[in-house]
Amino acid sequence: MADHNYRSYADCSDVLLDGERIKPDNCLDYDDILKFSNATYVVVTKCDIWGGKEDCVDMNRNCSDIALNQCYLFPRGKYGMTIKGGSKNITLRDVTFLGHGSEADIDIGNWSDQSAEKTTNIKLINVTSSDGRPVRVRVLWGDEPEVVGGNVKVVIVSPLLVKIYRFLRKHKLVP
């Protein structure tokens, strides 16, 4: 079943979001608040982005060359941000989390129905949380992100476990 998203950008290029407050009246009516799918050359600057049941920001299906700069994320669900489905060349710079996801703050390489490619070349520059706790990053089907400054804790799930899960998921043996 397809996600119900507040704002989606799919199959597009050259998107600029600057100085916006991206928050629906009821965040939990949506899975993701800001969704990118096969989007390239996207810049999101000085935006406040609230979270839905899943994400504040979700990138899937070969997104590339996306930058979030000086943004505040307000997670309300599983994650603050998911980057998956072969997405690459993603940079988060001076991003602050005002809250934490229930599973992870940033999820790299989670399952994607649209692409089996690994998620690569993720840079986290001065990524922090307002409460001083580390921003929790989980890496599944992707490469370890480059972390510069900030307060980030990266957990890399065993590649063997990820391959087993992906096999089971592909054959619809697990949800």
Side-chain angles (χ1 to χ4, degrees):
M1 188 164 132
D3 282 351
H4 177 59
N5 303 313
Y6 180 63
R7 282 178 60 179
S8 296
Y9 295 88
D11 304 313
C12 61
S13 186
D14 302 313
V15 175
L16 174 62
L17 303 175
D18 189 12
E20 294 189 41
R21 180 177 186 262
I22 305 171
K23 181 181 188 257
D25 289 336
N26 188 354
C27 293
L28 297 180
D29 284 346
Y30 299 93
D31 295 302
D32 304 316
I33 300 304
L34 188 56
K35 173 78 172 206
F36 296 101
S37 180
N38 194 38
T40 59
Y41 302 107
V42 174
V43 177
V44 181
T45 302
K46 296 182 180 174
C47 289
D48 297 341
I49 308 164
W50 271 256
K53 289 181 272 192
E54 291 180 9
D55 296 290
C56 299
V57 180
D58 186 329
M59 299 177 206
N60 189 15
R61 196 169 56 98
N62 300 306
C63 285
S64 67
D65 302 295
I66 295 179
L68 270 76
N69 303 305
Q70 300 174 316
C71 291
Y72 290 99
L73 302 182
F74 300 81
R76 298 290 182 260
K78 292 181 182 181
Y79 317 102
M81 178 177 294
T82 296
I83 308 168
K84 63 186 179 184
S87 294
K88 62 185 177 190
N89 304 331
I90 310 297
T91 301
L92 279 63
R93 181 184 312 270
D94 300 321
V95 170
T96 303
F97 284 76
L98 286 89
H100 297 276
S102 62
E103 290 189 27
D105 299 318
I106 301 172
D107 202 31
I108 296 173
N110 204 325
W111 175 261
S112 169
D113 291 325
Q114 291 79 35
S115 173
E117 294 180 47
K118 284 181 82 173
T119 299
T120 61
N121 196 25
I122 309 302
K123 293 182 180 149
L124 308 175
I125 303 166
N126 196 33
V127 173
T128 60
S129 70
S130 62
D131 65 8
R133 293 179 14 215
V135 173
R136 298 169 299 138
V137 178
R138 178 175 71 178
V139 180
L140 296 162
W141 191 242
D143 292 338
E144 181 175 359
E146 177 184 342
V147 177
V148 178
N151 187 8
V152 172
K153 179 181 179 186
V154 177
V155 173
I156 299 172
V157 176
S158 162
L160 177 60
L161 292 177
V162 172
K163 286 178 183 178
I164 291 169
Y165 172 76
R166 291 179 61 77
F167 174 84
L168 295 171
R169 178 78 187 252
K170 180 179 177 182
H171 292 87
K172 300 185 189 319
L173 299 171
V174 296

